[in-house]
Amino acid sequence: MLQIRNLTKTFKSGKGEKRAVDNLSLSVSPGDIYGFIGHNGAGKTTTLRACAGVMAYDSGEISVDGVDVARDPIEAKRRLAYVQDNPELYDNLKAEYYLKFIGDVYNVSEGDRRSRIEKYAGGFEIIGNLGDPIGSYSHGMKQKLALVAALMHAPRLLMLDEPFVGLDPKAALTLKGYMRELCESGGAIFFSTHVLDVAEKLCNRVAIIKNGALVAEGTMEEVRGTTSLEAVFMELTEAGGANV
Amino acid sequence: MFKLTILYYRSLLKPGITRYALMALVIVVMLASVGTQAFGMGMLGAASSVPPLFFLAATFLTLITAITSSSKQLFGFRDLDTQLSWPFAARTIVASRILIFYVSELAFAAMLLLPAYAVYAWFLRPEWWFYPTALILLFVTPVLPCIVGAILGSLLAFVTAKFRLGKALEYIGFIVIFAAIMVFSFASGQMTGGALAGSPVFGFMDKLSSTPIELFTNALNGDVYNFCLLIGGSVLLFAAFAVILGRVFFKVNSAITSKRTRSDYKLKISKRSGAFAALIGKEFRIYFASPLYVFNTIFLVIIAALIGGAGGVLGIEKILSLLGLPPETLYENGITLDQIAFFFPFLLAYFAALSPTTSCTISIEGKRLESLVALPVSESRVYIVKLAVNLILYLPLMILVGLFMMLRIPSLYSPYYVALPAAYIILSAVLGLGINLLLPKLNWTSESQAIKQSASVFATTFINMALFAVPIIILFAFKIENWGALLLITTLGAVALAAVLWGIISAYKGRLRELL
């Protein structure tokens, strides 16, 4: 579903260059809930943004459902949905209009919109607020709205950057349910998180990134081994930690 | 207070000499433009009237800008919570916002008064005390308009927040206020030579505008009593305003920034639209949701339409008389009606195209740009939609006005009442988009930073001014005789330049991604 091959991205600044992602390769298959874990500034968001087609990269190949993101970004974007860690929405628009806008852009039929909005907005308990301006929403409600908009067009690949931040426990549980459901229907999830417990319970595959490079990748059992994901993460991301 | 204010201005700074050079150029051109008008009045022997007249103009200009921007500049700025968490008293934060608001209005007043003072000094060679006096009077000029504008702007913002049709009421409120200002400025003695002073309403308006002008003029001429009255009164008013606002700031801020919610929505699915229609619909909603954006752009188009409409209804000769240029005097000097009519297309085009919506259309996306780029729509489609909004708003109105003028003011150059403004509107729309892609401001905390204070808006205005000046300069510098040919070449040239610019913009792939 998602193939990343030798992805490299360097940021130039006045003080020199920073290699945010260094020759990264990984693969997300249909049915995978793939956790992407790393310390702050490790390169998780950069990787996600490159996969979502919102950021150019220096070298490498990224394909979504067989479509090269660099060569055919529009087609690739049709197959995926990307929710940022702090989604910036249009405060002056009403939520219902925003969902209509997303539905129109992704060509979702009216019947599908109704059923999916009822399901996802109902699940997140924000149906009653859809008539209000987005500017009146709390951070958590904006996060929920962004998730509803992402799920509404039934993406093949759902990419989430820290999706559980700002969600109340009930909404977090609801989201986990939707993630499993999407994967059971043949889709895949690729998400970054700092909440290792969630990753451990939810993900079947995980990658740990440190300073732009993968230090561990594989099934949860392969990466975790006989210890916990937290222990493995701390060992690998401490200075001089060995790769798994 | 100064630490917070300096922090604000430092946050606006960005590396790169180009934007500052452009901003400096724009400021110089605007000062030169105002100075030229003032100099013209000086040449006609009216140098002593220049500062009072420009004081009146500065007062109205700062009043209008204060009304449209006060609610955004004083209230609802995104980093308020952050600032409140710092060890500053709340009143310090409020004072800092008032200072920032005042400084931005002072800049507009300075644009008008500094050239006026220069012309006055050039022609009348005043005593040494004129200069410090004039400088001090510059600082008090925006005080009253700031206060009145802040009150009116905040009231309108409060109405928007509280009522279901608040946005529509806000726009109606703005239109009523601006219409009142236009009528007031027209009816004041300065415009009509006191001709309307005999009627009760206009006489009152005349008196109302005369009092501050009298104070200003007397103070400028060395009247110490009037000087102290003006300074003292302004300082006291400003201090009172700051104290009162400091007391009610958080209540007003909550009232203005709280959004009306109902939380009783029943799901209903609207008819599906295509992606292009969805994008255009979204752009229009974003545009009309921001009165500051609307009045900073379409206001000038409405002025152009009013000029054209007035010209069509009253005729050129009547307009000239009202402007203090009796047509008989012009005819005696060998100037024909056709020659006067030659300049009408330029006048319409100037106002209609000076401030395109595209000059900040990328900036207004702000941090939402990433969400836009993540959508399955091409860059060129995004650009076309943004251009379309500008053209849909500006072109139909100006074409109608132009056609009306063609019927009412037939001349050799009638077709250009439509063609030239249309050509310039197209050119300025593409130009604004290109400049905003080059100089976007995405990290704004208040819309006014993107709409009024950005390098892109300044640069677009400056380049538009220069583009208007080119054919006029050519006309007089080369003593062109075939004015019709000049109009034709200018019109075709504007369209051709727009096509070239569009080619460059659409050829540069990936620009939106680069901005993220």
Side-chain angles (χ1 to χ4, degrees):
Chain A
M1 186 65 69
L2 172 67
Q3 296 275 352
I4 305 174
R5 274 191 282 270
N6 307 115
L7 175 67
T8 300
K9 171 69 184 176
T10 306
F11 289 105
K12 294 181 177 51
S13 71
K15 293 177 184 165
E17 289 185 350
K18 180 181 187 266
R19 185 155 282 196
V21 180
D22 190 1
N23 204 32
L24 188 143
S25 297
L26 59 86
S27 180
V28 180
S29 304
D32 279 348
I33 300 182
Y34 200 115
F36 197 41
I37 301 161
H39 57 81
N40 294 334
K44 304 186 297 296
T45 298
T46 304
T47 305
L48 281 162
R49 293 173 82 212
C51 294
V54 302
M55 193 185 67
Y57 41 92
D58 303 334
S59 62
E61 285 170 16
I62 303 175
S63 62
V64 174
D65 205 14
V67 179
D68 190 303
V69 168
R71 277 194 213 110
D72 196 353
I74 307 298
E75 200 48 48
K77 288 173 188 175
R78 281 197 218 287
R79 289 162 157 74
L80 65 85
Y82 169 53
V83 181
Q84 302 138 300
D85 62 343
N86 193 8
E88 289 285 344
L89 304 175
Y90 295 94
D91 284 358
N92 287 329
L93 297 182
K94 287 188 182 169
E96 62 166 339
Y97 181 81
Y98 179 68
L99 291 177
K100 174 188 168 8
F101 169 71
I102 294 292
D104 289 341
V105 168
Y106 284 91
N107 208 21
V108 181
S109 70
E110 285 161 28
D112 282 343
R113 281 185 218 198
R114 172 174 284 281
S115 58
R116 289 171 193 169
I117 291 175
E118 272 175 353
K119 176 181 175 179
Y120 296 121
F124 285 126
E125 296 176 334
I126 59 167
I127 285 192
N129 303 101
L130 292 181
D132 297 331
I134 297 173
S136 68
Y137 281 25
S138 65
H139 172 257
M141 287 170 74
K142 285 185 187 175
Q143 183 89 355
K144 290 177 187 178
L145 179 64
L147 288 164
V148 172
L151 291 163
M152 191 177 66
H153 61 91
R156 298 277 292 148
L157 174 68
L158 180 61
M159 295 197 302
L160 309 167
D161 197 353
E162 308 278 358
F164 298 102
V165 171
L167 287 185
D168 57 68
K170 189 173 179 190
L173 190 66
T174 305
L175 175 60
K176 287 175 204 167
Y178 292 149
M179 287 165 78
R180 288 193 187 96
E181 209 177 275
L182 191 146
C183 292
E184 281 160 16
S185 63
I189 312 260
F190 182 52
F191 77 103
S192 75
T193 185
H194 283 141
V195 187
L196 299 182
D197 291 352
V198 167
E200 213 162 351
K201 286 175 191 156
L202 200 56
C203 303
N204 63 316
R205 293 191 70 86
V206 68
I208 300 176
I209 183 173
K210 178 187 169 189
N211 295 330
L214 274 186
V215 293
E217 198 276 334
T219 64
M220 186 56 70
E221 292 70 33
E222 285 166 358
V223 171
R224 184 176 51 192
T226 54
T227 60
S228 68
L229 186 62
E230 186 184 63
V232 171
F233 176 80
M234 295 308 292
E235 187 193 323
L236 290 175
T237 55
E238 289 295 299
N243 288 11
V244 171
Chain B
M1 176 180 81
F2 292 110
K3 278 195 184 122
L4 279 172
T5 310
I6 290 167
L7 177 70
Y8 171 80
Y9 285 113
R10 284 197 70 167
S11 73
L12 299 180
L13 293 177
K14 267 188 165 182
I17 196 142
T18 316
R19 63 180 62 237
Y20 299 111
L22 270 170
M23 283 178 76
L25 264 171
V26 167
I27 291 168
V28 166
V29 165
M30 287 171 96
L31 286 171
S33 166
V34 173
T36 307
Q37 292 173 54
F39 197 81
M41 289 182 65
M43 293 280 281
L44 293 170
S48 61
S49 301
V50 168
L53 199 61
F54 280 60
F55 165 78
L56 185 66
T59 304
F60 282 128
L61 183 66
T62 51
L63 177 62
I64 289 170
T65 55
I67 290 170
T68 50
S69 68
S70 60
S71 62
K72 294 280 188 281
Q73 287 204 287
L74 285 173
F75 306 104
F77 45 102
R78 287 187 188 170
D79 47 353
L80 175 62
D81 283 354
T82 307
Q83 292 189 7
L84 285 170
S85 71
W86 293 339
F88 287 117
R91 62 174 181 276
T92 305
I93 297 169
V94 175
S96 165
R97 296 312 301 187
I98 293 172
L99 183 60
I100 291 166
F101 174 57
Y102 165 77
V103 167
S104 71
E105 300 303 322
L106 178 64
F108 286 112
M111 288 282 197
L112 287 169
L113 278 176
L114 288 175
Y117 289 154
V119 164
Y120 182 92
W122 176 269
F123 283 96
L124 298 178
R125 304 274 186 245
E127 298 286 336
W128 65 267
W129 48 259
F130 166 80
Y131 301 97
T133 305
L135 194 59
I136 293 169
L137 287 175
L138 168 63
F139 283 99
V140 306
T141 300
V143 170
L144 189 59
C146 270
I147 294 170
V148 175
I151 292 169
L152 289 173
S154 304
L155 269 173
L156 287 170
F158 174 77
V159 162
T160 311
K162 284 293 161 222
F163 297 99
R164 190 161 173 263
L165 294 173
K167 194 53 79 176
L169 288 172
E170 188 177 16
Y171 277 113
I172 291 169
F174 276 130
I175 290 167
V176 165
I177 290 170
F178 291 152
I181 292 171
M182 300 285 280
V183 168
F184 184 92
S185 62
F186 182 73
S188 77
Q190 306 308 310
M191 286 292 286
T192 61
L196 299 172
S199 82
V201 174
F202 288 144
F204 170 72
M205 288 182 181
D206 190 26
K207 184 75 186 155
L208 202 60
S209 71
S210 308
T211 308
I213 294 172
E214 246 177 70
L215 282 173
F216 177 86
T217 310
N218 293 341
L220 204 60
N221 289 331
D223 187 322
V224 176
Y225 172 73
N226 278 277
F227 179 78
C228 291
L229 193 62
L230 200 50
I231 304 298
S234 299
V235 169
L236 277 173
L237 265 175
F238 199 79
F241 171 69
V243 166
I244 294 170
L245 184 63
R247 294 229 167 118
V248 304
F249 179 84
F250 292 103
K251 274 191 202 148
V252 174
N253 192 66
S254 297
I256 284 176
T257 57
S258 62
K259 307 270 183 191
R260 193 176 169 277
T261 63
R262 296 185 59 178
S263 305
D264 61 353
Y265 177 75
K266 297 280 183 292
L267 183 62
K268 51 187 183 296
I269 302 297
S270 318
K271 208 166 150 36
R272 189 167 80 176
S273 313
F276 189 77
L279 285 163
I280 290 237
K282 184 212 78 166
E283 288 292 324
F284 273 112
R285 284 195 183 220
I286 302 291
Y287 179 73
F288 283 110
S290 172
L292 184 62
Y293 196 3
V294 171
F295 284 99
N296 231 47
T297 49
I298 210 162
F299 185 65
L300 287 176
V301 181
I302 292 172
I303 298 275
L306 286 173
I307 290 171
V313 168
L314 299 171
I316 295 183
E317 288 167 334
K318 185 76 179 176
I319 296 287
L320 289 171
S321 300
L322 285 169
L323 291 172
L325 296 165
E328 298 76 27
T329 317
L330 297 170
Y331 298 153
E332 279 165 20
N333 284 293
I335 298 170
T336 67
L337 203 59
D338 267 344
Q339 285 176 324
I340 298 166
F342 169 83
F343 290 101
F344 256 85
F346 284 101
L347 190 64
L348 293 177
Y350 181 81
F351 281 102
L354 193 63
S355 193
T357 62
T358 50
S359 64
C360 57
T361 190
I362 303 293
S363 300
I364 206 74
E365 293 288 344
K367 290 175 186 162
R368 302 166 304 208
L369 186 63
E370 182 158 320
S371 304
L372 184 61
V373 174
L375 294 175
V377 291
S378 61
E379 256 181 2
S380 57
R381 180 161 277 199
V382 171
Y383 298 157
I384 288 169
V385 162
K386 289 183 179 291
L387 283 172
V389 167
N390 196 138
L391 298 178
I392 290 169
L393 285 169
Y394 289 23
L395 273 179
L397 179 61
M398 291 314 300
I399 288 172
L400 273 171
V401 167
L403 287 170
F404 177 65
M405 286 184 68
M406 278 175 73
L407 292 170
R408 298 282 302 174
I409 315 175
S411 83
L412 267 178
Y413 311 114
S414 294
Y416 294 102
Y417 299 152
V418 175
L420 191 70
Y424 266 105
I425 285 168
I426 293 167
L427 172 59
S428 80
V430 180
L431 179 74
L433 177 66
I435 292 174
N436 201 204
L437 284 167
L438 209 56
L439 300 169
K441 179 160 188 62
L442 299 172
N443 61 344
W444 46 266
T445 52
S446 162
E447 269 182 357
S448 59
Q449 291 168 6
I451 295 167
K452 283 177 65 176
Q453 299 164 9
S454 65
S456 169
V457 172
F458 280 122
T460 306
T461 307
F462 157 67
I463 295 173
N464 273 326
M465 283 180 170
L467 288 171
F468 285 113
V470 163
I472 306 293
I473 291 168
I474 290 173
L475 174 71
F476 290 110
F478 295 101
K479 295 184 176 41
I480 304 288
E481 288 184 5
N482 191 340
W483 290 16
L486 182 65
L487 270 172
L488 178 64
I489 291 168
T490 305
T491 305
L492 293 176
V495 175
L497 186 56
V500 167
L501 287 173
W502 172 247
I504 296 170
I505 290 168
S506 43
Y508 192 153
K509 305 279 180 218
R511 177 59 183 160
L512 289 181
R513 266 192 329 185
E514 280 176 16
L515 298 177
L516 295 174

